[in-house]
Amino acid sequence: MKKMHFMNGDRFPQIGLGTWLSKTTEVYDAVIEAIGAGYRHIDCAYIYKNEKEIGEALQHAFSTGLVSREEMFITSKLWNNFHAPQDVEKAIRISLENLKLDYLDLYLIHWPLAFRQEQARSTGDLVSLEEIPLTSTWKSMEAVKKSGLTKHIGVSNFNIPKLKDLIANSEIKPEVNQIELHPYLQQNELVRFCQDNSILVTAYSPLGSHHLTDNENSILLHPVIKEIARKHHCTEAQVALAWGIQRSTAVIPKSVNYKRIHENIGTEKIQLDDKDMESILTLNRNHRNAKAMFAVFPGGPYTLESIWDE
Ligand code: A2P
C-alpha cells in the first residue's frame, strides 16, 4: 500500500475507502470487502449517518483477526453544528461511540461553516465566523488531539486564506486538508500551498462524483482519460485515481460495489508517465460538484466566495 507520512512518521495510506452516500444497508459489507482487498484507510463523517454500520464492520474485522486496529487508519469529521468550542469533544465522542473505537487516526473540521442545528434551512440557522471563529473551534481540536481522542487533526474545504489564518493562530498546525480534487477541479495553487506547508492533502470525489454529473461533466467519459486508460490497459477510474496518487494526494473513492472496490485499490499498480500527467493537466475546468451541496442563503453570512477561492 502506497503511503504518505505525517511529520511524526505516522503513515497515511494513500488510497482510502470513501463512505459518503454509502447506504447503511450496504456499507458494512463494503468495509469488510475493502479490508479484505487491502484497504487500510476508511474515510467517515458524522453527517454521513452510517458510522454505526462502519463501526460494526470494523469491530467484526478486529475480532476475527482480519486486521488489527493499529493497521487501520480511520478518519471522521466534525459537523457544522458542533463548532462551539465546548461541543467539539462531545462530537468526537459521538463518532467514536458510533465507530466503536477509542481513538481516531484523523479528525477534521468538515466545513468552514457553523450551523445552529444539523441542517441549515434558512439564514437564521447559520452562525457567523465572527460569532464562532474557526480558530476557537481549532483550539478544541487541539485539545482532543492532546487528550488522545485522535492522533491527528485537520480541516476540510479550507481555502488558502483560511489555512493561513489557522496556521498563524494555532499551536498545532492543521495536518491535513481534505478537498474536492479530480481532473476537472485540480486546484493546483491550493494543493501546492498545502504541500509547501507540510499539510497532507486528501482528494474527495476523486472520480469527479460522476454519478452526480451529466455525461458532459463525467471525467470517466473524457477522450483523453479514455486514451490513457487504453494505453495502460486499465480503467478510466484508475487513470483518475492514479493521477491523484501521482500528485502526492490521498484519494478516497467511494464504492459499495465489490468489483469497483477491488478495481480502485488496484490503481496502486498503475504508473502514469509525464506525458499522461501533462495531458490531464489541460483538462482542468474548475468544475466543483460540492457547490450543489449547499444552498446559499441570500443575505446570510456565507457566500460561496467566502468558502472557496472564487
Ligand atoms: P458505486 O458505489 O456503485 O461503485 P466519488 O468517490 O468521486 O464521489 O465517486 C463515487 C461514485 O463513483 C459512486 O457512485 C460509485 O458507485 C462510483 N464508482 C466507484 N468506483 C468506481 C469505478 N471504479 N468506476 C466507476 N464508478 C465508480
Side-chain angles (χ1 to χ4, degrees), residues 211-222:
H211 60 296
L212 301 177
T213 60
D214 46 27
N215 281 351
E216 189 207 333
N217 282 315
S218 168
I219 55 176
L220 305 187
L221 297 176
H222 194 284

Side-chain angles (χ1 to χ4, degrees), residues 73-290:
F73 189 98
I74 312 292
T75 302
S76 185
K77 312 186 192 88
L78 178 84
W79 187 240
N80 306 342
N81 60 328
F82 293 113
H83 273 221
Q86 66 276 16
D87 289 342
V88 172
E89 181 175 336
K90 184 170 74 187
I92 191 173
R93 286 189 185 279
I94 295 171
S95 283
L96 286 169
E97 194 184 325
N98 284 339
L99 291 163
K100 298 171 197 31
L101 300 175
D102 45 21
Y103 70 92
L104 292 175
D105 295 279
L106 178 63
Y107 198 49
L108 306 176
I109 297 182
H110 205 149
W111 287 92
L113 298 171
F115 293 172
R116 289 192 202 286
Q117 53 184 27
E118 198 164 289
Q119 297 299 338
R121 297 187 204 288
S122 67
T123 305
D125 293 331
L126 304 175
V127 185
S128 76
L129 294 179
E130 284 74 48
E131 197 177 324
I132 309 182
L134 292 166
T135 47
S136 70
T137 307
W138 187 253
K139 279 239 162 319
S140 297
M141 295 289 285
E142 294 177 334
V144 293
K145 174 171 172 167
K146 286 182 193 165
S147 62
L149 294 173
T150 181
K151 291 200 183 290
H152 299 281
I153 51 175
V155 295
S156 182
N157 299 296
F158 272 46
N159 61 15
I160 294 176
K162 287 198 171 65
L163 289 171
K164 279 189 176 160
D165 191 37
L166 214 51
I167 290 169
N169 294 290
S170 58
E171 189 186 327
I172 304 172
K173 312 290 170 226
E175 297 175 271
V176 169
N177 189 20
Q178 183 179 127
I179 50 180
E180 180 178 341
L181 289 176
H182 43 74
Y184 284 173
L185 182 67
Q186 303 194 6
Q187 309 210 63
N188 293 314
E189 200 191 337
L190 178 54
V191 170
R192 201 169 314 114
F193 176 86
C194 291
Q195 292 176 340
D196 287 348
N197 285 279
S198 305
I199 299 171
L200 299 173
V201 177
T202 303
Y204 76 73
S205 297
L207 304 172
S209 287
H210 63 105
H211 60 296
L212 301 177
T213 60
D214 46 27
N215 281 351
E216 189 207 333
N217 282 315
S218 168
I219 55 176
L220 305 187
L221 297 176
H222 194 284
V224 168
I225 301 287
K226 280 181 167 297
E227 181 52 38
I228 297 173
R230 235 189 327 269
K231 176 171 141 190
H232 291 276
H233 309 289
C234 69
T235 66
E236 289 76 13
Q238 288 174 324
V239 172
L241 298 176
W243 171 80
I245 290 169
Q246 255 164 264
R247 67 204 295 247
S248 301
T249 64
V251 293
I252 48 167
K254 173 263 176 187
S255 185
V256 291
N257 173 285
Y258 289 1
K259 185 176 149 280
R260 293 191 281 274
I261 285 172
H262 286 265
E263 176 184 329
N264 293 344
I265 198 154
T267 303
E268 292 193 309
K269 296 190 214 85
I270 291 146
Q271 188 74 34
L272 303 183
D273 58 37
D274 290 348
K275 192 161 162 284
D276 303 328
M277 293 301 282
E278 277 160 32
S279 318
I280 297 175
L281 197 61
T282 66
L283 302 187
N284 189 30
R285 50 167 91 162
N286 296 324
H287 177 83
R288 198 184 288 276
N289 289 304

